[in-house]
Amino acid sequence: MSVFDEAMEDLHNDADLSIAAEFRRPPFAWVAVRAILSQSTDAIGGLGGLGARAGQVQADILAAAITDTPTKGDQLRIGATAYTVEAAERDALALSWRLTLSDATQP
Amino acid sequence: MPISLRETALAAVAARLTSQISAAIVERARRSEVDTDNETLPRLVLTGGDLDADATLEALMVHYTLSFVVEGYARAATDLAAEQAQSALYAQVVAALAGWEPAVAGIGDMQEAGAEFALLSADAAARPAGQFAARFSLRLIAATGNPYAA
Protein backbone atom coordinates (compact mmCIF):
# COMPACT_ATOMS: atom_id res chain seq x y z
CA MET A 1 0.00 0.00 0.00
CA SER A 2 1.48 3.34 -1.03
CA VAL A 3 1.45 6.51 1.01
CA PHE A 4 -1.25 7.77 -1.32
CA ASP A 5 -3.45 4.74 -0.59
CA GLU A 6 -2.95 5.30 3.12
CA ALA A 7 -3.67 8.99 2.87
CA MET A 8 -6.83 8.40 0.88
CA GLU A 9 -7.98 5.72 3.29
CA ASP A 10 -7.35 8.03 6.24
CA LEU A 11 -9.45 10.72 4.61
CA HIS A 12 -12.33 8.35 3.92
CA ASN A 13 -12.23 6.99 7.46
CA ASP A 14 -12.22 10.45 9.01
CA ALA A 15 -15.66 10.82 10.56
CA ASP A 16 -15.49 14.59 10.14
CA LEU A 17 -15.03 14.29 6.38
CA SER A 18 -16.95 11.23 5.36
CA ILE A 19 -20.19 9.49 6.13
CA ALA A 20 -21.38 5.92 6.06
CA ALA A 21 -22.96 4.87 2.79
CA GLU A 22 -23.76 1.78 0.79
CA PHE A 23 -23.08 1.03 -2.85
CA ARG A 24 -24.66 -1.54 -5.11
CA ARG A 25 -25.35 -2.50 -8.67
CA PRO A 26 -29.02 -3.46 -8.73
CA PRO A 27 -30.17 -6.12 -8.03
CA PHE A 28 -27.07 -7.12 -6.07
CA ALA A 29 -26.63 -6.56 -2.34
CA TRP A 30 -25.50 -3.32 -0.77
CA VAL A 31 -21.81 -2.99 0.15
CA ALA A 32 -20.76 -0.65 2.95
CA VAL A 33 -18.52 2.23 1.86
CA ARG A 34 -17.45 5.60 3.22
CA ALA A 35 -18.40 8.60 1.09
CA ILE A 36 -17.04 12.13 1.06
CA LEU A 37 -19.94 14.24 -0.14
CA SER A 38 -19.79 17.40 -2.18
CA GLN A 39 -23.00 19.36 -2.55
CA SER A 40 -23.27 22.72 -4.21
CA THR A 41 -26.01 24.87 -5.62
CA ASP A 42 -25.26 26.81 -8.77
CA ALA A 43 -26.93 28.88 -11.41
CA ILE A 44 -27.43 26.98 -14.64
CA GLY A 45 -27.30 28.77 -17.92
CA GLY A 46 -30.70 29.73 -19.21
CA LEU A 47 -32.16 29.58 -22.67
CA GLY A 48 -31.39 33.21 -23.29
CA GLY A 49 -33.40 34.11 -20.22
CA LEU A 50 -33.30 33.66 -16.47
CA GLY A 51 -32.13 30.10 -16.23
CA ALA A 52 -32.42 27.77 -13.29
CA ARG A 53 -30.65 27.23 -9.99
CA ALA A 54 -30.26 23.71 -8.71
CA GLY A 55 -28.17 21.57 -6.42
CA GLN A 56 -25.87 18.77 -7.45
CA VAL A 57 -24.50 15.95 -5.36
CA GLN A 58 -21.20 14.17 -5.81
CA ALA A 59 -19.66 11.49 -3.65
CA ASP A 60 -16.09 10.23 -3.50
CA ILE A 61 -15.69 6.59 -2.54
CA LEU A 62 -12.58 4.43 -2.30
CA ALA A 63 -12.04 2.26 -5.35
CA ALA A 64 -10.83 -0.56 -3.10
CA ALA A 65 -14.17 -0.59 -1.28
CA ILE A 66 -16.07 -1.91 -4.28
CA THR A 67 -15.43 -4.64 -6.79
CA ASP A 68 -17.33 -3.12 -9.71
CA THR A 69 -16.39 -0.23 -11.92
CA PRO A 70 -19.19 2.22 -11.08
CA THR A 71 -21.43 3.05 -13.97
CA LYS A 72 -24.70 4.81 -14.71
CA GLY A 73 -27.56 3.07 -12.96
CA ASP A 74 -25.60 1.92 -9.92
CA GLN A 75 -26.83 3.18 -6.59
CA LEU A 76 -25.39 4.86 -3.53
CA ARG A 77 -27.53 4.86 -0.43
CA ILE A 78 -26.95 7.47 2.24
CA GLY A 79 -29.32 7.13 5.15
CA ALA A 80 -32.77 6.59 3.69
CA THR A 81 -31.95 8.15 0.32
CA ALA A 82 -30.86 5.91 -2.54
CA TYR A 83 -29.16 8.03 -5.16
CA THR A 84 -28.65 6.82 -8.70
CA VAL A 85 -25.16 7.07 -10.16
CA GLU A 86 -25.24 9.20 -13.29
CA ALA A 87 -21.51 9.28 -13.99
CA ALA A 88 -18.29 8.03 -12.43
CA GLU A 89 -14.83 9.49 -12.75
CA ARG A 90 -11.70 7.85 -11.38
CA ASP A 91 -8.87 9.91 -9.95
CA ALA A 92 -5.46 9.89 -11.64
CA LEU A 93 -4.05 7.29 -9.24
CA ALA A 94 -7.14 5.06 -9.51
CA LEU A 95 -7.65 5.22 -5.77
CA SER A 96 -11.14 6.67 -5.66
CA TRP A 97 -14.24 7.25 -7.72
CA ARG A 98 -16.10 10.51 -7.89
CA LEU A 99 -19.75 9.69 -8.45
CA THR A 100 -22.22 12.19 -9.86
CA LEU A 101 -25.51 11.36 -8.19
CA SER A 102 -29.13 11.83 -9.09
CA ASP A 103 -31.98 11.52 -6.65
CA ALA A 104 -34.34 10.56 -9.41
CA THR A 105 -36.19 7.35 -8.73
CA GLN A 106 -35.56 4.49 -11.13
CA PRO A 107 -38.22 4.53 -13.88
CA MET B 1 -51.37 58.13 -15.10
CA PRO B 2 -52.11 56.36 -18.38
CA ILE B 3 -50.89 52.80 -18.75
CA SER B 4 -48.62 52.05 -21.66
CA LEU B 5 -49.83 49.72 -24.35
CA ARG B 6 -46.80 47.49 -23.73
CA GLU B 7 -47.68 47.05 -20.06
CA THR B 8 -51.36 46.53 -20.89
CA ALA B 9 -50.43 43.76 -23.33
CA LEU B 10 -48.07 41.99 -20.93
CA ALA B 11 -50.60 42.21 -18.10
CA ALA B 12 -53.24 40.68 -20.37
CA VAL B 13 -50.91 37.82 -21.28
CA ALA B 14 -50.10 37.15 -17.62
CA ALA B 15 -53.78 37.16 -16.72
CA ARG B 16 -54.48 34.76 -19.55
CA LEU B 17 -51.78 32.35 -18.42
CA THR B 18 -52.98 32.53 -14.82
CA SER B 19 -56.58 31.83 -15.76
CA GLN B 20 -55.83 29.04 -18.23
CA ILE B 21 -53.04 27.16 -16.44
CA SER B 22 -54.21 26.94 -12.87
CA ALA B 23 -51.66 24.28 -11.89
CA ALA B 24 -48.70 26.59 -12.55
CA ILE B 25 -47.48 29.66 -10.73
CA VAL B 26 -47.20 32.65 -13.07
CA GLU B 27 -44.67 35.38 -12.43
CA ARG B 28 -43.73 38.52 -14.30
CA ALA B 29 -40.50 40.48 -14.63
CA ARG B 30 -38.46 38.12 -12.49
CA ARG B 31 -34.73 38.84 -12.41
CA SER B 32 -33.36 35.82 -10.54
CA GLU B 33 -32.95 32.21 -11.58
CA VAL B 34 -35.66 29.73 -10.65
CA ASP B 35 -34.52 27.35 -7.92
CA THR B 36 -35.80 24.05 -9.28
CA ASP B 37 -35.01 22.24 -6.02
CA ASN B 38 -36.83 24.47 -3.58
CA GLU B 39 -39.41 26.57 -5.38
CA THR B 40 -42.93 25.43 -6.15
CA LEU B 41 -43.12 24.06 -9.68
CA PRO B 42 -44.48 24.07 -12.34
CA ARG B 43 -43.76 27.75 -12.75
CA LEU B 44 -44.05 30.17 -15.65
CA VAL B 45 -42.13 33.41 -15.93
CA LEU B 46 -43.33 36.00 -18.42
CA THR B 47 -40.78 38.54 -19.61
CA GLY B 48 -41.48 41.30 -22.08
CA GLY B 49 -39.04 41.82 -24.92
CA ASP B 50 -38.34 44.32 -27.64
CA LEU B 51 -40.78 46.50 -29.52
CA ASP B 52 -40.41 46.96 -33.25
CA ALA B 53 -42.22 49.98 -34.62
CA ASP B 54 -43.59 50.45 -38.13
CA ALA B 55 -45.15 53.81 -38.98
CA THR B 56 -45.57 53.04 -42.67
CA LEU B 57 -48.61 50.78 -42.50
CA GLU B 58 -51.27 53.29 -41.52
CA ALA B 59 -51.47 57.07 -41.51
CA LEU B 60 -50.95 58.64 -38.07
CA MET B 61 -50.67 55.21 -36.46
CA VAL B 62 -47.73 53.09 -35.38
CA HIS B 63 -47.87 49.33 -35.55
CA TYR B 64 -45.63 47.75 -32.93
CA THR B 65 -44.56 44.16 -32.70
CA LEU B 66 -44.01 43.23 -29.06
CA SER B 67 -41.95 40.12 -28.45
CA PHE B 68 -42.17 38.28 -25.16
CA VAL B 69 -40.91 35.04 -23.67
CA VAL B 70 -42.68 32.59 -21.41
CA GLU B 71 -40.18 30.45 -19.54
CA GLY B 72 -41.47 27.27 -17.99
CA TYR B 73 -39.97 25.12 -15.24
CA ALA B 74 -41.11 21.64 -14.26
CA ARG B 75 -39.78 18.93 -11.97
CA ALA B 76 -40.58 15.23 -11.65
CA ALA B 77 -39.46 12.03 -10.00
CA THR B 78 -37.66 10.62 -13.01
CA ASP B 79 -35.73 12.04 -15.96
CA LEU B 80 -38.39 10.92 -18.41
CA ALA B 81 -41.20 12.29 -16.30
CA ALA B 82 -39.40 15.64 -16.09
CA GLU B 83 -39.25 15.88 -19.86
CA GLN B 84 -42.89 14.85 -20.14
CA ALA B 85 -43.88 17.46 -17.56
CA GLN B 86 -41.91 20.06 -19.51
CA SER B 87 -43.68 19.12 -22.75
CA ALA B 88 -47.08 19.15 -21.07
CA LEU B 89 -46.50 22.59 -19.56
CA TYR B 90 -45.30 23.96 -22.89
CA ALA B 91 -48.38 22.59 -24.63
CA GLN B 92 -50.58 24.33 -22.05
CA VAL B 93 -48.83 27.62 -22.72
CA VAL B 94 -49.31 27.34 -26.47
CA ALA B 95 -52.94 26.27 -26.04
CA ALA B 96 -53.53 29.30 -23.82
CA LEU B 97 -51.86 31.89 -26.04
CA ALA B 98 -51.70 30.82 -29.68
CA GLY B 99 -54.72 32.10 -31.53
CA TRP B 100 -55.98 34.03 -28.50
CA GLU B 101 -57.00 37.65 -29.01
CA PRO B 102 -56.81 39.87 -25.92
CA ALA B 103 -60.02 41.78 -25.31
CA VAL B 104 -58.11 45.07 -25.37
CA ALA B 105 -58.43 47.63 -28.15
CA GLY B 106 -55.26 47.90 -30.20
CA ILE B 107 -53.75 44.57 -29.14
CA GLY B 108 -53.98 41.37 -31.16
CA ASP B 109 -52.44 39.07 -33.73
CA MET B 110 -50.68 36.75 -31.31
CA GLN B 111 -47.92 34.85 -33.09
CA GLU B 112 -46.04 31.80 -31.84
CA ALA B 113 -42.32 31.95 -32.63
CA GLY B 114 -40.92 28.66 -31.37
CA ALA B 115 -39.30 27.44 -28.18
CA GLU B 116 -36.06 26.09 -26.75
CA PHE B 117 -36.02 23.20 -24.29
CA ALA B 118 -33.43 21.87 -21.88
CA LEU B 119 -33.36 19.17 -19.27
CA LEU B 120 -31.01 20.17 -16.48
CA SER B 121 -27.96 17.92 -16.67
CA ALA B 122 -27.24 15.52 -13.84
CA ASP B 123 -23.90 17.12 -13.02
CA ALA B 124 -25.72 20.39 -12.37
CA ALA B 125 -28.98 19.20 -10.87
CA ALA B 126 -29.46 16.06 -8.80
CA ARG B 127 -33.25 16.31 -9.03
CA PRO B 128 -34.75 15.85 -12.52
CA ALA B 129 -36.08 19.13 -13.85
CA GLY B 130 -36.46 20.87 -17.16
CA GLN B 131 -36.97 24.32 -18.54
CA PHE B 132 -38.21 25.87 -21.76
CA ALA B 133 -38.38 29.31 -23.26
CA ALA B 134 -41.37 29.83 -25.54
CA ARG B 135 -41.29 32.94 -27.72
CA PHE B 136 -44.34 34.85 -28.90
CA SER B 137 -45.19 38.21 -30.37
CA LEU B 138 -48.19 40.51 -30.30
CA ARG B 139 -49.24 43.38 -32.55
CA LEU B 140 -49.92 46.67 -30.76
CA ILE B 141 -51.43 49.60 -32.61
CA ALA B 142 -51.34 53.12 -31.23
CA ALA B 143 -51.65 56.65 -32.49
CA THR B 144 -48.34 58.24 -33.32
CA GLY B 145 -46.83 59.71 -30.16
CA ASN B 146 -49.47 58.14 -27.92
CA PRO B 147 -48.38 54.61 -26.99
CA TYR B 148 -50.98 54.17 -24.27
CA ALA B 149 -53.93 51.88 -23.81
CA ALA B 150 -57.16 53.40 -25.06
Side-chain angles (χ1 to χ4, degrees):
Chain A
M1 181 177 274
S2 73
V3 291
F4 298 107
D5 290 274
E6 290 176 8
M8 192 66 84
E9 196 171 301
D10 286 346
L11 289 173
H12 280 80
N13 287 327
D14 186 328
D16 293 325
L17 280 179
S18 68
I19 58 173
E22 293 171 294
F23 175 88
R24 77 166 181 174
R25 173 161 301 161
F28 298 109
W30 293 102
V31 175
V33 297
R34 300 287 302 178
I36 299 176
L37 283 184
S38 166
Q39 294 176 283
S40 65
T41 299
D42 294 302
I44 301 167
L47 302 169
L50 297 171
R53 175 172 290 279
Q56 50 103 293
V57 184
Q58 291 185 317
D60 279 18
I61 63 173
L62 283 178
I66 59 175
T67 55
D68 296 310
T69 296
T71 188
K72 179 174 168 58
D74 290 345
Q75 291 180 304
L76 190 75
R77 185 163 68 185
I78 301 169
T81 303
Y83 294 94
T84 302
V85 174
E86 288 286 341
E89 183 182 4
R90 195 160 52 181
D91 71 66
L93 296 176
L95 300 177
S96 68
W97 288 98
R98 169 157 290 196
L99 309 177
T100 298
L101 302 176
S102 164
D103 66 3
T105 55
Q106 294 282 6
Chain B
M1 182 177 177
I3 299 174
S4 74
L5 205 52
R6 182 178 187 273
E7 168 55 25
T8 302
L10 291 172
V13 171
R16 174 74 174 175
L17 291 171
T18 301
S19 68
Q20 297 295 303
I21 310 175
S22 57
I25 291 170
V26 178
E27 288 185 276
R28 279 192 59 196
R30 177 172 172 147
R31 297 192 301 129
S32 59
E33 306 95 0
V34 172
D35 185 334
T36 58
D37 288 339
N38 298 309
E39 294 189 46
T40 302
L41 302 184
R43 182 174 296 262
L44 298 169
V45 180
L46 167 64
T47 305
D50 295 337
L51 270 176
D52 289 329
D54 187 343
T56 65
L57 295 174
E58 188 178 350
L60 303 178
M61 304 295 282
V62 180
H63 288 227
Y64 298 97
T65 301
L66 168 65
S67 62
F68 65 89
V69 178
V70 179
E71 291 175 78
Y73 299 84
R75 177 176 61 229
T78 69
D79 297 355
L80 176 59
E83 178 169 69
Q84 290 169 334
Q86 186 185 23
S87 298
L89 184 60
Y90 169 71
Q92 288 180 290
V93 169
V94 172
L97 296 183
W100 167 67
E101 292 290 329
V104 180
I107 301 176
D109 193 23
M110 177 80 74
Q111 295 290 326
E112 188 182 351
E116 292 85 42
F117 291 80
L119 272 181
L120 307 189
S121 66
D123 62 359
R127 300 183 69 184
Q131 60 177 328
F132 66 79
R135 290 173 279 108
F136 296 86
S137 68
L138 267 174
R139 176 68 58 90
L140 317 181
I141 302 174
T144 301
N146 188 31
Y148 296 104

